[in-house]
Amino acid sequence: MSGLCVLSTSCVPPGIRGALNQWMIEVLPGIFVGRPSRRVRDHLWVSLVDAFEGEDGPYAALIHQSDCEQGYRIEKVGDHRYAVTDFDGLQLITVRHRSGEAPFDPLEELPDPSW
C-alpha cells in the first residue's frame, strides 16, 4: 500500500484539478489528500509541473512518504515566500522576506540592558 500524500496548490487549471480529484480528495480548496500509487503520484506531479511551467504566480507543494531520515519528502513548484531548503539531507522551510521588508529580529524588541 502506498503512503499518504498531501498536495497544496494554487491556481490549478481545471483539467489538472479534475485529474487530482479522480485520485485524491480535495479536503479544502487547493488541498488534496490521498494514497495514490507512486506511479500515479509522479504522473500527477509531472502534469502539474508542466501546467505551471512559464506561469507566474501559481505554486504547489507535494508532501509524500519517503525512505529518508524525516520519513517524508517535500517537492515544490512555483514561486512562494516559503522555500524548501536542504540542510545535509534534512528538508527545512525558510521564509524569504518581501523586498523592502527588514527581517524580524526578536532581540530588537528587548529593552536595553545597559541601564
Side-chain angles (χ1 to χ4, degrees), residues 15-93:
I16 304 293
R17 177 176 241 107
L20 290 170
N21 277 315
Q22 286 179 350
W23 295 97
M24 304 171 85
I25 295 172
E26 190 171 9
V27 294
L28 290 170
I31 308 292
F32 298 87
V33 177
R35 296 176 73 96
S37 68
R38 180 177 168 211
R39 181 177 176 196
V40 169
R41 181 193 71 216
D42 291 345
H43 179 73
L44 291 171
W45 182 248
V46 168
S47 299
L48 193 60
V49 169
D50 289 346
F52 284 180
E53 192 171 314
E55 296 287 323
D56 189 28
Y59 62 89
L62 173 68
I63 300 97
H64 59 89
Q65 186 174 349
S66 178
D67 291 335
C68 64
E69 186 73 25
Q70 287 175 293
Y72 61 88
R73 190 138 227 35
I74 303 170
E75 299 179 45
K76 289 188 58 152
V77 64
D79 190 31
H80 197 271
R81 284 181 5 126
Y82 290 78
V84 178
T85 307
D86 187 276
F87 291 96
D88 293 328
L90 186 65
Q91 289 185 307
L92 300 175
I93 303 298

